């Protein structure tokens, strides 16, 4: 049954009211849509790892018309014993993470005070510690200035300048624990395109890491050096087609190296095999479902990995392991 009123430009239907702008208004008005009746849809994910023989289970649902999310996670073994239960409530401006066994809660809040000015805070109830921060846009959203401080305060606040080519942070640190002598510490990174590649410099705690990455459709070459330790490494990747890739990593200081071959069939099936010289271990694995994706995007919402590990020094101790991850929408 439909009733059309031309003077108010609205339509009354059996499902609700369509307003003057054509947007659907749920039956019962705003609060009827905000607090939806009926049971919310549940998402259940269970993951099993044969190496630990432990199940990781997650149950989540959307609340308040998808404005918030409630999640319960816990582990259980083959005997049915439950451990490490966690409860998480997440929304746009506020989140709560509660550890049942530790009886501890981590509270986080984030909201915009004014255009271009963001406030962020977190607090651990059990430790009575937290952090507050203010983030301000400078010359547009790509340039930001962040000022943060521990709560309760233990020194001067930490300042960070964020820009498109990197980030620089200034903070006060204790140099000598006995004398409690404090000094200004500088850390950060900068990056720039050089010779058709990306050069990155990372500085932290008196250590500088220089990294250069060249990549095209077939070849990737990544040399890296750390100073003052002079640790030099080099990564090389070669793609032989849309489905096959070979990767090699070598550390010059220790002569350790590793190699990995990867073959993919579409995005949901993958075979990988490799060798690592440091533990003297060879391995091979099969993936059903995108290795980096979530279970909800895999066929039948199921991800499976099967791995064989073969120690070079003791072949008889080879191990076959597997992990399974399944999601149900109820």
């Amino acid at each position: 049954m439909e009733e059309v009123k031309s003077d108010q430009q609205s339509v009354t239907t059996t499902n609700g009211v369509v307003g003057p702008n054509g947007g659907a208004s749920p039956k019962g008005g705003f609060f009827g849509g905000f607090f939806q009746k009926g049971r919310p849809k549940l998402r259940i994910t269970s993951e099993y790892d044969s190496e630990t023989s432990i199940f990781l289970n997650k149950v989540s649902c959307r609340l308040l018309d998808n404005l918030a999310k409630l999640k319960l996670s816990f582990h259980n073994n083959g005997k049915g014993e439950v451990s490490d239960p966690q409860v998480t409530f997440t929304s746009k401006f506020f989140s709560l993470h509660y550890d049942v066994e530790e009886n501890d809660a981590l509270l986080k809040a984030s909201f915009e005070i004014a255009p271009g000015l963001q406030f962020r805070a977190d607090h651990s109830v059990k430790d009575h510690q937290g952090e507050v921060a203010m983030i301000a846009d400078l010359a547009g959203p790509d340039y930001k200035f962040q000022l943060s401080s521990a709560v309760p305060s233990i020194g001067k606040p930490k300042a960070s300048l964020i820009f498109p080519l990197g980030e620089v942070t200034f903070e006060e640190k204790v140099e000598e624990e006995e004398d409690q002598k404090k000094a200004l510490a500088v850390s950060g990174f900068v990056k720039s395109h050089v010779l058709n590649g990306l050069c990155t410099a990372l500085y932290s705690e008196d250590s500088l890491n220089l990294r250069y990455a060249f990549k095209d459709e077939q070849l990737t070459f990544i040399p890296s050096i750390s100073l003052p330790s002079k640790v030099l490494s080099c990564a090389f990747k070669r793609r032989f087609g849309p489905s096959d890739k070979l990767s090699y990593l070598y550390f010059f200081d220790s002569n350790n190296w590793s190699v990995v071959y990867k073959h993919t069939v579409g995005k949901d099936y993958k075979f990988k095999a490799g060798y690592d010289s440091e533990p003297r271990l060879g391995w091979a694995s099969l993936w059903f479902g995108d290795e980096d994706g979530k279970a909800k995007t895999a066929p039948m919402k199921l991800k499976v990995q099967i791995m064989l590990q073969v120690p070079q020094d003791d072949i008889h101790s080879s191990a076959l392991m597997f992990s399974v991850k399944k999601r149900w929408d109820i």
Side-chain angles (χ1 to χ4, degrees), residues 300-327:
M300 299 183 294
K301 298 182 180 180
L302 174 69
K303 290 180 61 175
V304 180
Q305 181 195 16
I306 303 173
M307 173 176 280
L308 174 65
Q309 291 185 347
V310 183
Q312 182 178 343
D313 299 327
D314 187 6
I315 298 180
H316 297 289
S317 63
S318 300
L320 181 64
M321 300 172 290
F322 67 92
S323 64
V324 181
K325 187 176 183 178
K326 172 64 177 175
R327 167 171 160 161

Side-chain angles (χ1 to χ4, degrees), residues 102-107 122-132 149-154:
E102 296 292 333
N103 193 25
D104 186 20
L106 178 63
L107 309 176
D122 61 72
H123 177 72
S124 175
V125 175
K126 189 174 183 179
D127 297 333
H128 301 287
Q129 295 179 351
E131 184 183 69
V132 293
S149 176
V151 178
S153 178
I154 56 176

Side-chain angles (χ1 to χ4, degrees), residues 63-303:
L63 302 174
L64 304 177
D65 200 15
N66 291 331
L67 294 178
K69 181 179 180 181
L70 181 65
K71 181 174 72 174
L72 167 67
S73 64
F74 60 93
H75 295 83
N76 70 284
N77 55 24
K79 298 179 181 180
E81 298 172 337
V82 176
S83 62
D84 197 25
Q86 311 273 336
V87 180
T88 305
F89 176 85
T90 308
S91 65
K92 182 178 180 179
F93 303 108
F94 172 79
S95 67
L96 182 149
H97 183 91
Y98 180 66
D99 189 322
V100 178
E101 290 184 349
E102 296 292 333
N103 193 25
D104 186 20
L106 178 63
L107 309 176
K108 293 185 178 182
S110 177
F111 54 88
E112 190 176 50
I113 300 177
L117 184 61
Q118 189 83 11
F119 173 81
R120 190 181 70 231
D122 61 72
H123 177 72
S124 175
V125 175
K126 189 174 183 179
D127 297 333
H128 301 287
Q129 295 179 351
E131 184 183 69
V132 293
M134 299 286 288
I135 305 100
D137 293 346
L138 300 178
D142 294 332
Y143 295 85
K144 297 179 182 293
F145 178 73
Q146 176 175 310
L147 199 63
S148 59
S149 176
V151 178
S153 178
I154 56 176
K156 296 179 180 179
K158 180 172 65 174
S160 299
L161 180 62
I162 305 168
F163 49 97
L165 297 181
E167 178 179 338
V168 180
T169 298
F170 304 88
E171 61 180 318
E172 192 178 54
K173 288 190 174 181
V174 178
E175 274 192 340
E176 300 177 5
E177 294 185 0
E178 295 181 355
D179 301 333
Q180 291 295 309
K181 184 179 179 181
K182 297 182 179 180
L184 182 64
V186 181
S187 63
F189 72 93
V190 291
K191 58 184 179 179
S192 179
H193 290 277
V194 178
L195 300 176
N196 297 324
L198 182 64
C199 184
T200 304
L202 174 64
Y203 181 79
S204 177
E205 298 182 352
D206 299 325
S207 177
L208 176 65
N209 179 266
L210 300 175
R211 181 177 182 267
Y212 177 75
F214 170 83
K215 183 177 181 180
D216 61 15
E217 294 182 355
Q218 296 182 338
L219 177 67
T220 300
F221 177 65
I222 309 175
S224 176
I225 185 171
S226 295
L227 301 173
S229 61
K230 298 180 181 179
V231 176
L232 178 64
S233 66
C234 183
F236 175 83
K237 299 179 183 181
R238 177 72 164 85
R239 183 174 292 278
F240 299 97
S243 303
D244 299 276
K245 184 169 70 173
L246 180 68
S247 303
Y248 179 78
L249 176 62
Y250 182 77
F251 294 92
F252 289 85
D253 62 316
S254 61
N255 291 326
N256 290 326
W257 57 275
S258 63
V259 61
V260 177
Y261 167 75
K262 180 172 68 174
H263 175 76
T264 58
V265 179
K267 67 176 183 178
D268 294 319
Y269 304 97
K270 181 185 298 183
F271 169 76
K272 297 171 70 175
Y275 178 82
D276 193 334
S277 67
E278 185 175 6
R280 298 170 63 85
L281 179 71
W283 57 271
S285 66
L286 283 171
W287 278 95
F288 302 91
D290 188 1
E291 179 181 0
D292 300 320
K294 297 183 178 181
K296 68 177 182 179
T297 61
M300 299 183 294
K301 298 182 180 180
L302 174 69
K303 290 180 61 175

